[in-house]
Amino acid sequence: MSETHATVAAEAPAFPPGRYGRRREPGRRRPLLLALTVTVALAVLGLGATKLYYQYGDPEYRGEMISYTDITDSRVVVDFRVTVPPGGSATCLLRARSHDGAQVGSAEATVTAEPGQRHIRARQEVPTSTRPFIGEVLRCRPAG
């Protein structure tokens, strides 16, 4: 009877010493090194994103909601405050939403600060297609 793979005990193959180089240890990993590398990479990306935002973003244009009043079936009046660079102007996007969250109207308002002033208080009517539930300031950007 000849021997087959089924009758021979499974052992690790025996290689002649020095012929095939050094074998690696199975399962040896370095999770601490991987975690440290990922943390450093995320920190570098975060710092780069922050630097680019302050260099090219518009952090000085900020719209703040004060109130919304005079709600009717066809409009809402939005009172808001805008922070701009001294003496600057901004265009703000306003929207009205219904009770279920759907957008039912929008308007753009361009406001300009007095020379030397950074804050502008404004009031804008937003026309709507149905009765709104809320009016809000979405964003403000440099006018132009």
Side-chain angles (χ1 to χ4, degrees), residues 122-138:
R123 183 179 184 103
Q124 176 71 32
E125 179 179 313
V126 179
T128 62
S129 57
T130 62
R131 185 171 186 83
F133 175 71
I134 190 171
E136 55 194 2
V137 180
L138 281 182

Side-chain angles (χ1 to χ4, degrees), residues 3 29 41 55 60 62 70 86 92 100 107 122 127 136 141-142:
E3 292 186 22
R29 304 218 170 137
Q55 186 175 358
E60 295 194 42
R62 184 175 58 245
D70 300 334
C92 296
D100 65 355
E136 55 194 2
R141 59 180 164 74

Side-chain angles (χ1 to χ4, degrees), residues 75-133:
R75 72 179 181 126
V76 62
V77 176
V78 177
D79 292 309
F80 60 102
R81 182 177 125 164
V82 183
T83 303
V84 296
S89 61
T91 300
C92 296
L93 179 61
L94 311 171
R95 79 172 172 183
R97 293 190 302 158
S98 64
H99 195 55
D100 65 355
Q103 181 172 323
V104 294
S106 65
E108 280 194 350
T110 301
V111 294
T112 303
E114 307 246 340
Q117 297 295 317
R118 295 197 65 217
H119 302 289
I120 309 161
R121 187 170 176 158
R123 183 179 184 103
Q124 176 71 32
E125 179 179 313
V126 179
T128 62
S129 57
T130 62
R131 185 171 186 83
F133 175 71

